Amino acid sequence: MMSETALRDLNTLPSSDRKNESSSKGSFAKPFVGSANENVDVSLVSTHVNGNQTGNAGPGIANSEVEYIDSENLIDVEDIDTSLKTLIAGLDSKDWVVVCEALNNVRRLSIFHKEAMLDILGDVIPLVVKSLKNPRSAVCKTAIMTAADIFSAYNDRMIDLLDPLLVQLLLKSSQDKRFVCEAAEKALVAMTTWVSPILLLPKLQPYLKNRNPRIRAKASMCFSRSVPRLGVEGIKEYGIDKLIQVASSQLSDQLPESREAARTLLLELQSVYEKSHDSAPATVSDSPEMDSWENFCQSKLSPLSAQAVLRVTNIAREGLVIGS
């Protein structure tokens, strides 16, 4: 069950980021200054903020810049025990610089010492979610990248903690700020890559009916990517009839992303259905017509839905015949 807070979040797109914020403590401001490609060093933020003053800003004023470091370029923490002990306080800090540093430490620990952080993962993820909600772009994007590394490291072990992360990533991937949106989409790809589809699909399904069409579209794309990972036997076990009903409901959705995801899923289901029937031993009572994809669609869907599904799959089939 989704919490009331999660549902409220889902039905409201995030407001635009504040470009400049003043520190809630101390005598100096810490404006976020990003480069054109939003690629400035987050590991150097504290040095820029606390060490180097700008020429005309006056005493105590600093320019801070943030780089978003790819996972493969992160280096190990210097001291595991110290990093673990200070992690929760850092993530919960009111200083956005400290939060970014702590998020990067979560990433490093996930990559290099995932077993060491496993015991506190239940405390870490809610604070990562808090950072995902942060209006400051630097914090939000770093948290998104952190979520991707958590998926990669912990796979199915974090499935019980997934819901609040999923809500925020669907929201962030649906907003207008391009570099945040792109990062969130990559995190969703990581989720569908590293979390077992048998566990993930039930988590995604409620979002396919969300009131926000952009949320539905992103959820549809995740759903469509996850199903093939079940494999032929897994799809049959999950239920082709259930999956075809999900896909057919997205064919008439408002956004083209939803419709394209539905078409991709339907072609996958058609392929699995036909392969499974081609390989099944024939019986006396079997007839090609009764086992056909067309008959299956008509038996599982309303006439209009079956017609729409068959139109999609027949066009694809005709295209393959023409191209061969």
Side-chain angles (χ1 to χ4, degrees), residues 80-282:
I80 303 173
D81 291 336
T82 301
S83 296
L84 287 169
K85 287 176 184 176
T86 59
L87 196 61
I88 301 300
L91 291 170
D92 205 25
S93 174
K94 295 185 183 302
D95 186 329
W96 71 275
V97 174
V98 174
V99 173
C100 284
E101 291 171 344
L103 287 167
N104 272 339
N105 279 338
V106 172
R107 299 177 67 202
R108 293 182 176 102
L109 289 166
S110 295
I111 293 168
F112 297 104
H113 308 284
K114 63 182 179 182
E115 298 299 330
M117 198 172 68
L118 188 58
D119 288 342
I120 62 170
L121 196 62
D123 297 318
V124 167
I125 287 182
L127 292 172
V128 174
V129 171
K130 179 182 176 183
S131 291
L132 285 169
K133 297 178 181 179
N134 194 298
R136 185 181 282 275
S137 313
V139 177
C140 179
K141 183 172 177 180
T142 307
I144 291 170
M145 298 174 78
T146 303
D149 287 328
I150 287 174
F151 292 138
S152 176
Y154 295 102
N155 316 135
D156 295 349
R157 289 191 284 184
M158 50 83 60
I159 192 67
D160 292 334
L161 303 167
L162 177 65
D163 285 325
L165 278 177
L166 177 56
V167 169
Q168 289 304 315
L169 290 174
L170 288 171
L171 280 168
K172 299 304 177 185
S173 68
S174 304
Q175 68 165 244
D176 294 325
K177 186 175 282 293
R178 183 180 59 82
F179 78 100
V180 171
C181 177
E182 289 176 351
E185 287 178 343
K186 288 181 181 178
L188 289 172
V189 169
M191 178 188 71
T192 56
T193 300
W194 296 107
V195 179
S196 297
I198 196 68
L199 298 176
L200 184 57
L201 292 175
K203 298 282 189 182
L204 288 167
Q205 202 156 342
Y207 301 110
L208 300 175
K209 298 180 180 178
N210 190 262
R211 289 189 302 178
N212 186 326
R214 298 171 79 176
I215 295 294
R216 293 198 303 271
K218 300 302 181 182
S220 294
M221 294 165 71
C222 290
F223 199 92
S224 179
R225 280 198 303 268
S226 295
V227 169
R229 294 188 60 236
L230 286 167
V232 172
E233 292 305 315
I235 288 174
K236 288 162 62 179
E237 186 177 337
Y238 194 92
I240 296 181
D241 53 340
K242 294 177 184 176
L243 292 169
I244 195 175
Q245 288 166 6
V246 171
S248 66
S249 69
Q250 302 299 303
L251 270 182
S252 59
D253 202 71
Q254 181 177 340
L255 292 182
E257 293 91 341
S258 289
R259 301 193 296 272
E260 182 57 34
R263 285 191 286 269
T264 301
L265 178 53
L266 286 168
L267 293 174
E268 177 71 21
L269 296 176
Q270 180 190 26
S271 175
V272 169
Y273 181 85
E274 292 180 342
K275 283 178 183 176
S276 63
H277 279 72
D278 287 344
S279 61

Side-chain angles (χ1 to χ4, degrees), residues 6-22:
L7 285 170
R8 205 162 48 241
D9 285 344
L10 273 171
N11 294 318
T12 310
L13 282 174
S15 59
S16 59
D17 290 28
R18 290 186 297 240
K19 298 295 182 183
N20 294 297
E21 296 174 354
S22 295

Side-chain angles (χ1 to χ4, degrees), residues 26-39:
S27 60
F28 56 87
K30 302 175 189 173
F32 168 56
V33 180
S35 64
N37 62 0
E38 299 296 343
N39 191 26

